[in-house]
Amino acid sequence: QVASFNDMAEQEQAEIDSSVVQLAQMRKMQEAVEAQKEAGEVRAIPSYDNSGILMRELYQILANTNEYTVDFSAATSREVFLQNSEKKIEEEFLKLTEKLGADKEPLKTICGKLDACDRDLALAMKYLYVTAPYSDLVNYSFEDIKDFAGHGLFLYNHLERVHALQEEMFLNYILDHRVNEEEVLPCRTLFWNALKDRIEGKNAKDAAIEVNYWCAEEATYHSGDDRTLPALTVYRRGYGRCGEESVFLVNALRSVGIPARQVYVPRWSH
């Protein structure tokens, strides 16, 4: 317990130290902005620190200042997968290849295509493969799974509230391509394009409500007892039973970077 407490104290102190440094750098940046503004200069803001978080904070400061621009070309951000998760994902994927055979299909094709992906996309794909049922490797193409992985990384890199999520939350409730045992059909990019203007400028709570309204507009309830339909099918035909409506909603929420999963209840009213 003493060792655990000491570790926690060290982590908290490291976070405090990091925040102090960032605040000091922000002050320097703001002073530079004011000096350039008073001098009438129009140029990119000098980068004292190119961390993604710091540059995004600076961008907020300059959001209403049209005469200044921020150069993000050299900016870096924290990695999607922390070191511990990367190691675990790689270990689990290695076990998968050893069990099913990396020289046999479908893993032979999957591994070949993974080699052509960048680090984050390859890790995202491997995460989805090691957490999915084996049937997903056979039933769905590499491109089908890649659509979910690519969109998840897009959200992580473009939405601050997604970037700020705990890793476990992002992996399980935004990146994950499965909600239930439905057929896997790419839909997240389509839903994002339909929803991005409706949620622009809204906080997460208001955005979730807006997504719910959109889902209610696009699909209504209709009873059924067949296998749970995928979100894309519910969207295209305009109706689904309760479980299918929730699959539709969860995918729509994840498509705009709002963590979501299904929750079952013992009784409900349609």
Side-chain angles (χ1 to χ4, degrees), residues 55-163:
M55 293 302 288
R56 276 190 293 277
E57 290 177 354
L58 177 60
Y59 180 79
Q60 292 299 319
I61 294 174
L62 302 176
N64 298 319
T65 310
N66 296 327
E67 63 266 35
Y68 290 96
T69 59
V70 180
D71 182 9
F72 286 92
S73 60
T76 58
S77 61
R78 70 176 172 87
E79 296 175 337
V80 175
F81 301 101
L82 302 180
Q83 186 174 359
N84 290 340
S85 292
E86 178 178 0
K87 181 180 179 182
K88 183 177 181 180
I89 291 170
E90 293 290 5
E91 288 176 349
E92 291 301 316
F93 190 76
L94 178 60
K95 292 178 183 178
L96 183 67
T97 59
E98 291 174 346
K99 184 172 185 178
L100 301 182
D103 58 340
K104 300 178 181 178
E105 296 296 350
L107 279 177
K108 182 178 180 179
T109 297
I110 289 173
C111 291
K113 292 184 176 181
L114 284 173
D115 290 339
C117 296
D118 62 38
R119 172 190 175 278
D120 285 345
L121 181 58
L123 276 174
M125 294 289 291
K126 290 177 180 179
Y127 170 80
L128 294 179
Y129 279 128
V130 300
T131 56
Y134 290 157
S135 58
D136 282 4
L137 278 71
V138 178
N139 292 334
Y140 306 110
S141 70
F142 182 88
E143 287 68 30
D144 287 339
I145 307 300
K146 183 180 177 181
D147 186 84
F148 289 90
H151 186 69
L153 295 178
F154 164 80
L155 295 173
Y156 184 91
N157 290 325
H158 288 81
L159 297 183
E160 172 58 30
R161 56 183 168 78
V162 176
H163 191 90

Side-chain angles (χ1 to χ4, degrees), residues 4-261:
S4 176
F5 176 81
N6 289 336
D7 288 341
M8 291 175 61
E10 289 178 1
Q11 292 176 5
E12 291 176 356
Q13 187 59 50
E15 292 176 359
I16 292 172
D17 293 343
S18 176
S19 297
V20 170
V21 171
Q22 285 196 358
L23 287 173
Q25 290 169 332
M26 284 298 296
R27 282 195 292 270
K28 290 182 180 180
M29 282 186 170
Q30 287 176 285
E31 290 170 0
V33 170
E34 293 302 323
Q36 290 176 10
K37 189 172 181 180
E38 290 176 3
E41 298 179 16
V42 180
R43 62 185 178 84
I45 302 304
S47 301
Y48 293 97
D49 186 310
N50 278 335
S51 72
I53 295 176
L54 190 57
M55 293 302 288
R56 276 190 293 277
E57 290 177 354
L58 177 60
Y59 180 79
Q60 292 299 319
I61 294 174
L62 302 176
N64 298 319
T65 310
N66 296 327
E67 63 266 35
Y68 290 96
T69 59
V70 180
D71 182 9
F72 286 92
S73 60
T76 58
S77 61
R78 70 176 172 87
E79 296 175 337
V80 175
F81 301 101
L82 302 180
Q83 186 174 359
N84 290 340
S85 292
E86 178 178 0
K87 181 180 179 182
K88 183 177 181 180
I89 291 170
E90 293 290 5
E91 288 176 349
E92 291 301 316
F93 190 76
L94 178 60
K95 292 178 183 178
L96 183 67
T97 59
E98 291 174 346
K99 184 172 185 178
L100 301 182
D103 58 340
K104 300 178 181 178
E105 296 296 350
L107 279 177
K108 182 178 180 179
T109 297
I110 289 173
C111 291
K113 292 184 176 181
L114 284 173
D115 290 339
C117 296
D118 62 38
R119 172 190 175 278
D120 285 345
L121 181 58
L123 276 174
M125 294 289 291
K126 290 177 180 179
Y127 170 80
L128 294 179
Y129 279 128
V130 300
T131 56
Y134 290 157
S135 58
D136 282 4
L137 278 71
V138 178
N139 292 334
Y140 306 110
S141 70
F142 182 88
E143 287 68 30
D144 287 339
I145 307 300
K146 183 180 177 181
D147 186 84
F148 289 90
H151 186 69
L153 295 178
F154 164 80
L155 295 173
Y156 184 91
N157 290 325
H158 288 81
L159 297 183
E160 172 58 30
R161 56 183 168 78
V162 176
H163 191 90
L165 288 172
Q166 293 182 358
E167 185 185 35
E168 183 180 3
M169 186 72 70
F170 169 74
L171 293 175
N172 287 304
Y173 303 129
I174 289 184
L175 181 67
D176 200 337
H177 64 295
R178 281 207 163 276
V179 177
N180 201 292
E181 41 79 59
E182 77 280 4
E183 181 183 3
V184 176
L185 295 180
C187 62
R188 304 264 172 91
T189 302
L190 174 66
F191 293 170
W192 162 260
N193 288 328
L195 286 162
K196 60 183 180 181
D197 292 337
R198 293 183 61 152
I199 66 168
E200 186 176 0
K202 298 182 183 298
N203 59 36
K205 177 183 177 181
D206 291 339
I209 293 173
E210 189 65 34
V211 172
N212 191 52
Y213 284 147
W214 178 78
C215 287
E217 294 167 9
E218 298 297 334
T220 188
Y221 174 78
H222 191 286
S223 61
D225 293 317
D226 296 327
R227 177 188 177 185
T228 301
L229 291 174
L232 185 61
T233 302
V234 174
Y235 172 73
R236 284 174 172 171
R237 76 177 191 174
Y239 66 87
R241 56 179 171 80
C242 53
E244 292 163 345
E245 285 186 304
S246 65
V247 167
F248 178 38
L249 174 61
V250 169
N251 272 284
L253 289 168
R254 290 182 184 179
S255 76
V256 298
I258 298 175
R261 64 180 176 86

